[in-house]
Amino acid sequence: MFIGPSVVRQLAQAGHEVAVFHRGEHEADLPRSVSHLHGDRDRIGEHRGAIAAFAPEIVVDMRAMTEAQARAVADAVRGIAKRLVVVSSMDVYRAYGRLHGTEPGPPLEPPFDEDSPLRENLYVYREHTPAVIAERPPWMDDYEKIMVERVALGDRDLAGSVLRFPMVHGERDAQRRFYWLWKRMDDRRRFILVSEKQAAFRSSRTHVDNAAHAVALVATDERASGRVYNVGEPDAPPLADWALLIARQSSWGGQIIARPSDDLPAHLRDTRPDMWDHHLVADTTRIRRELGYREVVSREDGLRRALEWYAAEPPEDPKRAGNLEYEAEDAALVTIRERAVL
């Protein structure tokens, strides 16, 4: 329900006949021309007849998290569709494994193009659940986009294409990637603490509508058959620069204070000393050169829309979502000031 609706809208608005396969528990605001097929994606093979009746030329799998899920979709549409487009992630790169702590070695020099080394260790979440996920979903042990890509690109009867997404922000983003910064600014905190290394961390990002535009472009251009494409903005500013943009959009006049991790309260310290040394920046030259990809939403407008959504759709537990511990942060600020005076 995050990126998919935007993909559907863009394809429908371009005049393509579109059908969506989903459980039907929540109906997104989609054009009336869009057809709906209801079912469980893990049992999509049971709906092969309905898929054949619609007779799609291209199938886009927005949420293949495991090899089994990817194979189920490929099996369900083989002999019906000509092409299969799957959404992957920059977490396939070896640099992500080093950022995550599952891949040994020093930082790799970004940016990373589509031929950069992939992780050697698979299933990065079997022993780790990201903090942004409240409850561990059953598929997480088998989550592996590398295997999803292999399914799409290795099928002899389906021409596969892969898009590797960066950090995607915007409306309906359940991870609320900038919420922790925005919430503190919205609460009019005078100072916001961040570790020096996190402030300098660079990762590719883009707005949801830009990510969706890349999917629509790949899905409708046969030149993308058999190809892998990185997606993301042309440059990747450090987090400190994003914080300044958020401050400007929020009319916040406070100060970002970047300090060594050990100076921060426990909940804001770096998980590992070297964690933020592993920048995750994509080279997006290929999709721009081969398919003419360009952003449809500017950085500033996309960020503005994301922040407006944060305000309109607050999470059930803002403290947890924003990693907020204001008393601890105030105490740390007092200590930092005392050290500065001494």
Side-chain angles (χ1 to χ4, degrees):
M1 294 296 289
F2 177 32
I3 304 171
S6 183
V7 174
V8 172
R9 292 189 196 101
Q10 291 190 37
L11 288 171
Q13 289 167 3
H16 299 285
E17 188 177 355
V18 183
V20 293
F21 182 89
H22 62 111
R23 288 173 296 181
E25 296 177 1
H26 305 283
E27 297 290 351
D29 182 18
L30 300 176
R32 291 185 177 182
S33 63
V34 174
S35 302
H36 294 254
L37 307 178
H38 292 158
D40 183 344
R41 70 152 294 137
D42 290 331
R43 301 171 64 181
I44 191 172
E46 298 176 2
H47 302 272
R48 182 173 166 84
I51 296 171
F54 181 73
E57 293 184 19
I58 301 102
V59 170
V60 178
D61 192 344
M62 294 295 301
R63 195 174 168 77
M65 299 297 186
T66 69
E67 180 182 7
Q69 289 179 335
R71 288 198 182 282
V73 171
D75 291 344
V77 304
R78 189 179 297 108
I80 300 172
K82 297 178 181 178
R83 295 182 54 211
L84 175 62
V85 178
V86 300
V87 170
S88 185
S89 165
M90 281 193 65
D91 70 22
V92 300
Y93 290 117
R94 188 172 298 170
Y96 178 81
R98 295 187 179 179
L99 168 67
H100 188 264
T102 57
E103 205 89 1
L108 299 170
E109 186 65 28
F112 308 108
D113 64 22
E114 291 83 354
D115 297 319
S116 293
L118 303 187
R119 283 185 285 103
E120 295 177 343
N121 297 320
L122 302 180
Y123 309 109
V124 291
Y125 295 129
R126 280 190 171 172
E127 297 181 0
H128 169 74
T129 302
V132 295
I133 298 178
E135 296 183 6
R136 186 179 182 83
W139 51 260
M140 186 157 283
D141 282 348
D142 296 320
Y143 171 88
E144 185 50 82
K145 288 291 190 178
I146 291 177
M147 301 305 296
V148 169
E149 292 187 7
R150 289 178 184 174
V151 171
L153 297 174
D155 198 303
R156 296 179 180 179
D157 299 315
L158 283 168
S161 302
V162 170
L163 296 103
R164 291 174 180 162
F165 277 3
M167 294 184 182
V168 181
H169 59 269
E171 308 89 306
R172 306 179 306 279
D173 172 21
Q175 296 190 50
R176 291 177 167 83
R177 294 188 184 274
F178 293 119
Y179 182 81
W180 66 279
L181 279 167
W182 172 83
K183 178 60 175 170
R184 287 172 170 83
M185 294 178 188
D186 191 58
D187 286 345
R188 293 309 179 210
R189 301 283 295 170
R190 292 181 58 196
F191 303 97
I192 296 177
L193 291 170
V194 62
S195 79
E196 290 175 335
K197 287 191 173 183
Q198 186 178 9
F201 177 69
R202 295 187 300 122
S203 179
S204 292
R205 303 175 186 269
T206 199
H207 182 264
V208 56
D209 283 355
N210 293 328
H213 178 56
V215 175
L217 193 63
V218 168
T220 56
D221 195 325
E222 290 190 0
R223 293 176 297 176
S225 297
R227 301 295 279 164
V228 177
Y229 295 103
N230 284 338
V231 180
E233 294 182 349
D235 62 329
L239 179 67
D241 287 5
W242 282 98
L244 292 176
L245 286 173
I246 296 169
R248 191 175 305 135
Q249 298 230 10
S250 303
S251 299
W252 181 70
Q255 181 181 355
I256 302 290
I257 299 180
R259 299 287 299 182
S261 178
D262 289 345
D263 289 354
L264 306 183
H267 68 290
L268 295 181
R269 289 176 188 164
D270 300 339
T271 305
R272 301 189 327 275
D274 69 334
M275 177 178 179
W276 301 116
D277 294 336
H278 301 276
H279 302 284
L280 199 62
V281 181
D283 181 338
T284 61
T285 301
R286 178 181 291 181
I287 193 170
R288 297 173 188 278
R289 183 184 64 240
E290 292 186 4
L291 305 183
Y293 172 80
R294 296 293 184 272
E295 282 72 20
V296 294
V297 176
S298 70
R299 177 178 295 166
E300 293 74 14
D301 191 38
L303 183 59
R304 175 188 59 77
R305 287 164 55 179
L307 303 183
E308 289 177 351
W309 184 79
Y310 294 165
E313 298 289 341
E316 292 184 7
D317 186 348
K319 182 177 179 180
R320 177 184 173 85
N323 193 26
L324 310 177
E325 295 286 351
Y326 287 161
E327 288 186 10
E329 293 166 34
D330 289 341
L333 281 164
V334 170
T335 301
I336 290 170
R337 289 197 193 99
E338 289 175 348
R339 289 176 181 173
V341 171
L342 293 176

